[in-house]
Amino acid sequence: HTTTSAVNKGRPVVPTQEGRSLDALHSIPVHKLRAQAAATEALTVPESYPHFTPFVENKKQYDEMYKRSIEDPNGFWGDIAKEFHWEKQWDEEHISYNFDVRKGPIHVEYFKGGLTNICYNALDRHVAAGHGDRVCFLWEGNDLDQDRKMTYGEVLEEVCQLANYLRSQGVQKGDAVSIYMPMVCELPIAMLACARIGAVHSVVFGGFSAEALAGRMEDCKAKVLITASGVMRGNKKIDLKAIADSAHTMAAKSGHTVPRVVVYENERAGGRAACSFTEGRDVWYAEAIAEQAKTCEVEWVEAEHPLFLLYTSGSTGKPKGVVHCTGGYMVYAHTTTKYVFNMQPGDTYWCTADCGWITGHTYLTYGPLLVGASQVVFEGVPTYPGPDRCWRVVDKYAVKQFYTAPTAIRSLMRAGDLYVKEHLRDSLRILGSVGEPINPEAWRWYHDIVGDGRCPIVDTWWQTETGGHMITPLPNAWAQKPGSATYPFFGVVPVLVDEKGNEVKGEGEGYLCIKQAWPATLRTVYGDHERYETNYFKPFPGYYFSGDGARRDKDGYIWITGRVDDVINVSGHRIGTAEVESALVAHAKCAEAAVVGYEHPIKGQGIYAYVTLMEGVEPTEDIRRELINTVRGIIGAFAAPDVIHWAPGLPKTRSGKIMRRVLRKIAAKQEDELGDVSTLADPHVVEQLVALRGH
Ligand code: ATP
Ligand code: MG
């Protein structure tokens, strides 16, 4: 799974609809597109798309709803929550929170007094309303001929069976269950089964190592681990059970033995024959549920009962075990899914994220099921067997809303337009992006080529911690600007603050903070409330601090500028790493770049650039000079890199984000103090970079 640079290189020239070549388009430096987008009101992006009726028709309607959401949150969220089943109604004044460390401990509460269950609302509620036959999961396997449909009724039955089994193993309300599985229907089913009995799930991405799984199982004292024999990802076979076994041993050594391991047999990766099995501890998934009843009594839980624990990606440090609770998260997951994807019950939707990330929690397992959609669950990778896989799947199921990450968009863009164009894609209505800032160039490709200019792009800014979308366009409600997440979602009050914590009003730039609680605010960091307060609430007292920077333009549009740790201060100029990287990549021989700051005796900080050259290009002094001159030309002399470090590869998280903190350490020659690198996709990259350091 490779991340490629945003700028197209080495791709055949394919004429676009307007008869101009994409290569010509791509010769425009990225920062110019961004500047253009920021500067002009006369956007080339249409304000309204003719193919659907939006829930929110225009800015005026949004403004009214938004105003109520922040002035009367009790009423606004209460009205939405009435669509759900509550075993016991919440109190009228159900919200209380404190975001100010100076006034006492940070706490957040929604739907005080209410009792509910998110699994009941995601499944039973639809079945009870007569929609048991509606397709719930459209599972698409790694290979082209592998698929499976499950209706809401069938999913509910299997969830009940697994929930009964978990109960039979002594799993009770509040107990933790670790899940380490590939993207099969049984993964969201396992999450829902936990939720049904009030158990707290901790999903660990199936690409993580034994150490990472062991640490996470130990942390939450998991009573059960649900895993699988293995999985095929493209041509690669991953032996999940063997990794789970080592994790089990490691956790036992450091004091926590997980008593029961449920193993889903994945025949496509060898099945039972290829899989180890420990009698007395392990049980096959199919056998575990076989004798269980297909109905299962729901555990009604308080709105603030913890639903899950999930670790952040680890881009900036040791992953934080984020805790989300039932009621507020449920209502927020539902509402954001409904409005941002303009989703109606029965819509066919596809989110490519793995359930191991927050996106797979909120916009696969919970949000779409709460709305009642039919959704694709994809086991494979977007580039297997070819780079047209996504568009093939879009056509196969007539997908209406498609949601993916910039890293995937960039790699598909690099493969060329023909792969897109050989498929119809006429079912698509809305395209979503999440995970990193999407640069305007990738945005336009997504919009013009994938969406044929017919589909609005929802560039959704949010975090594991926020539980759901925070700043995002609503389709058709206002004009888009490529690269801007635009306006806040209902109930979200974003503010930009300066170093002293003063709010920057109107046009300007600052630290992106949130001023009021929203329903899916993280409630704590698992087992470490102090870290929660220190990390998110102490930097700017009175606010939740996101760790990201942002800019507000004259139209009030918000542009995420990246993580604040990534901003470099050179002789008083604040320079965003993203900008310098885009400029470097504009050079024809540069495939990818990552920029960090380092201590500089005169300037305070200097600019240190890691550069990956195009396939087959050898680094030379000439190229070094050209690269520096390119940045000078595009941004200005003050942004010229002081050091260029040739990099065969860059350290990335398993979700595809560049780990600049690791690059900062290498630049400072402190590679023995890398910190937590457990979420690094390829640890060898670090050694390679150290070996190539030329100073
Ligand atoms: P850690 O907190 O451990 O460093 P992480 O921040 O990468 O990891 P996530 O919660 O997966 O963990 O990612 C959230 C971050 O991703 C945001 O803070 C932001 O930097 C980035 N991000 C997500 N969506 C967008 C977007 N649409 N535009 C810009 N940045 C985004
Ligand atoms: Mg983060």
Side-chain angles (χ1 to χ4, degrees):
H1 197 86
T2 53
T3 312
T4 56
S5 80
V7 172
N8 166 58
K9 303 281 168 57
R11 190 179 55 186
V13 177
V14 181
T16 66
Q17 288 152 314
E18 303 88 66
R20 84 193 148 170
S21 89
L22 263 187
D23 290 294
L25 174 68
H26 290 194
S27 66
I28 305 171
V30 170
H31 85 283
K32 282 201 179 142
L33 288 175
R34 184 170 289 177
Q36 268 165 18
T40 171
E41 247 300 73
L43 302 162
T44 53
V45 184
E47 182 156 0
S48 97
Y49 295 76
H51 299 281
F52 57 85
T53 317
F55 286 121
V56 177
E57 284 178 29
N58 49 46
K59 183 73 172 21
K60 186 167 165 282
Q61 191 188 342
Y62 159 83
D63 285 339
E64 283 161 13
M65 290 176 73
Y66 179 75
K67 188 163 185 281
R68 177 166 185 236
S69 76
I70 56 170
E71 287 174 0
D72 173 25
N74 279 285
F76 183 87
W77 297 111
D79 282 353
I80 293 174
K82 284 178 192 147
E83 293 176 33
F84 293 107
H85 175 85
W86 293 81
E87 191 63 8
K88 182 170 165 277
Q89 181 71 18
W90 64 92
D91 307 344
E92 196 152 325
E93 287 294 311
H94 61 91
I95 304 175
S96 75
Y97 72 92
N98 173 37
F99 262 21
D100 193 337
V101 277
R102 295 163 302 195
K103 294 183 182 152
I106 303 298
H107 77 93
V108 177
E109 178 166 19
Y110 278 71
F111 305 109
K112 190 192 192 67
L115 283 180
T116 189
N117 185 292
I118 194 169
C119 173
Y120 183 92
N121 281 298
L123 298 173
D124 306 53
R125 191 168 54 102
H126 303 307
V127 174
H131 303 304
D133 291 336
R134 180 185 294 157
V135 171
C136 180
F137 295 139
L138 293 154
W139 179 79
E140 172 82 6
N142 183 59
D143 291 332
L144 287 175
D145 55 351
Q146 298 165 339
D147 55 26
R148 174 191 183 192
K149 270 189 187 138
M150 284 187 89
T151 64
Y152 273 83
E154 288 164 348
V155 171
L156 175 57
E157 286 184 359
E158 199 174 317
V159 163
C160 287
Q161 288 180 295
L162 182 59
N164 284 328
Y165 173 77
L166 292 173
R167 267 199 185 130
S168 80
Q169 297 305 302
V171 177
Q172 291 177 356
K173 182 182 169 193
D175 286 344
V177 173
S178 291
I179 303 175
Y180 184 66
M181 289 187 87
M183 287 294 284
V184 288
C185 298
E186 283 70 13
L187 170 46
I189 284 173
M191 295 163 77
L192 290 158
C194 291
R196 189 168 193 87
I197 61 172
V200 181
H201 57 71
S202 167
V203 182
V204 180
F205 170 55
F208 275 144
S209 64
E211 285 89 347
L213 175 59
R216 286 159 175 70
M217 288 197 296
E218 215 189 303
D219 217 24
C220 65
K221 303 280 173 278
K223 281 221 161 158
V224 175
L225 164 66
I226 306 177
T227 186
S229 55
V231 64
M232 294 297 298
R233 308 237 330 138
N235 287 315
K236 213 169 122 201
K237 181 171 169 244
I238 298 161
D239 201 349
L240 282 181
K241 179 57 170 33
I243 302 170
D245 283 346
S246 348
H248 191 278
T249 310
M250 286 178 198
K253 267 199 195 134
S254 40
H256 177 67
T257 302
V258 182
R260 180 70 66 217
V261 179
V262 181
V263 189
Y264 172 79
E265 186 188 354
N266 195 349
E267 315 88 51
R268 298 171 303 277
R272 269 181 215 212
C275 176
S276 64
F277 192 86
T278 305
E279 288 298 337
R281 181 197 73 186
D282 296 355
V283 56
W284 296 109
Y285 179 94
E287 285 162 24
I289 67 166
E291 302 296 313
Q292 300 294 336
K294 293 183 174 177
T295 57
C296 169
E297 214 177 295
V298 168
E299 182 84 40
W300 301 110
V301 299
E302 306 75 42
E304 287 300 319
H305 181 67
L307 173 65
F308 64 83
L309 144 71
L310 181 68
Y311 292 82
T312 57
S313 306
S315 307
T316 54
K318 184 174 182 286
K320 298 162 278 269
V322 167
V323 176
H324 282 292
C325 294
T326 307
Y329 176 82
M330 171 174 83
V331 171
Y332 201 68
H334 163 90
T335 312
T336 48
T337 307
K338 172 177 165 179
Y339 285 101
V340 174
F341 298 113
N342 209 69
M343 193 187 287
Q344 309 267 7
D347 277 1
T348 303
Y349 157 87
W350 181 19
C351 164
T352 65
D354 191 283
C355 285
W357 312 121
I358 187 68
T359 307
H361 279 58
T362 309
Y363 299 109
L364 198 153
T365 303
Y366 292 113
L369 297 197
L370 289 164
V371 172
S374 304
Q375 68 176 317
V376 178
V377 174
F378 181 41
E379 186 190 40
V381 293
T383 46
Y384 178 85
D388 70 331
R389 185 65 185 273
C390 288
W391 326 123
R392 191 187 280 271
V393 172
V394 162
D395 277 3
K396 177 171 174 183
Y397 300 111
V399 171
K400 200 165 162 185
Q401 298 96 346
F402 178 72
Y403 193 30
T404 196
T407 175
I409 297 167
R410 292 194 292 256
S411 77
L412 297 172
M413 175 166 116
R414 195 186 191 209
D417 303 359
L418 282 179
Y419 290 108
V420 185
K421 295 196 165 176
E422 64 194 26
H423 300 280
L424 273 175
R425 297 158 285 114
D426 57 345
S427 58
L428 287 173
R429 294 291 177 271
I430 290 160
L431 298 172
S433 170
V434 59
E436 286 178 289
I438 176 167
N439 48 338
E441 194 180 12
W443 193 103
R444 287 194 181 273
W445 184 80
Y446 202 27
H447 181 269
D448 296 350
I449 306 299
V450 175
D452 278 329
R454 289 181 299 104
C455 307
I457 308 285
V458 287
D459 173 8
T460 59
W461 176 81
W462 62 295
Q463 313 176 289
T464 309
E465 295 89 341
T466 70
H469 301 147
M470 297 295 278
I471 304 178
T472 171
L474 294 183
N476 265 25
W478 51 81
Q480 306 165 82
K481 298 188 189 189
S484 168
T486 74
Y487 294 122
F489 191 73
F490 303 128
V492 176
V493 186
V495 291
L496 307 180
V497 301
D498 63 19
E499 285 79 1
K500 296 194 187 83
N502 298 317
E503 287 184 25
V504 177
K505 305 278 187 193
E507 234 182 307
E509 198 177 337
Y511 298 93
L512 177 56
C513 294
I514 312 290
K515 202 172 179 172
Q516 295 184 8
W518 63 99
T521 309
L522 77 161
R523 300 305 200 250
T524 190
V525 166
Y526 187 74
D528 200 348
H529 202 70
E530 201 184 316
R531 188 173 180 208
Y532 170 72
E533 296 188 335
T534 308
N535 220 332
Y536 304 109
F537 296 95
K538 285 198 179 143
F540 300 103
Y543 304 102
Y544 165 84
F545 173 47
S546 68
D548 289 343
R551 179 164 64 80
R552 196 187 292 109
D553 73 16
K554 64 175 179 9
D555 302 317
Y557 280 52
I558 294 170
W559 302 71
I560 308 298
T561 49
R563 295 163 199 282
V564 294
D565 316 12
D566 296 344
V567 173
I568 307 171
N569 197 327
V570 182
S571 314
H573 294 284
R574 285 166 51 83
I575 302 170
T577 49
E579 233 182 318
V580 184
E581 289 160 10
S582 293
L584 287 165
V585 174
H587 188 283
K589 288 176 184 154
C590 174
E592 188 162 33
V595 165
V596 297
Y598 75 108
E599 211 180 310
H600 190 284
I602 298 152
K603 305 189 211 174
Q605 273 191 305
I607 297 182
Y608 194 109
Y610 293 84
V611 171
T612 307
L613 294 174
M614 295 300 291
E615 213 42 57
V617 179
E618 286 301 315
T620 63
E621 257 321 293
D622 282 348
I623 301 181
R624 186 194 301 271
R625 254 194 310 273
E626 283 171 26
L627 283 167
I628 293 171
N629 284 335
T630 306
V631 179
R632 274 178 202 274
I634 292 176
I635 307 174
F638 64 95
D642 299 279
V643 180
I644 301 256
H645 184 141
W646 306 117
L650 294 170
K652 286 182 187 161
T653 66
R654 281 161 212 259
S655 49
K657 302 175 186 191
I658 296 172
M659 269 198 202
R660 289 187 187 73
R661 67 183 163 92
V662 166
L663 295 174
R664 270 195 295 273
K665 288 289 178 193
I666 299 173
K669 299 187 185 166
Q670 292 166 345
E671 57 271 7
D672 44 341
E673 301 166 24
L674 288 183
D676 189 296
V677 287
S678 61
T679 66
L680 202 59
D682 176 9
H684 296 300
V685 171
V686 175
E687 294 153 35
Q688 256 180 348
L689 287 178
V690 171
L692 286 167
R693 187 171 48 204
H695 60 98

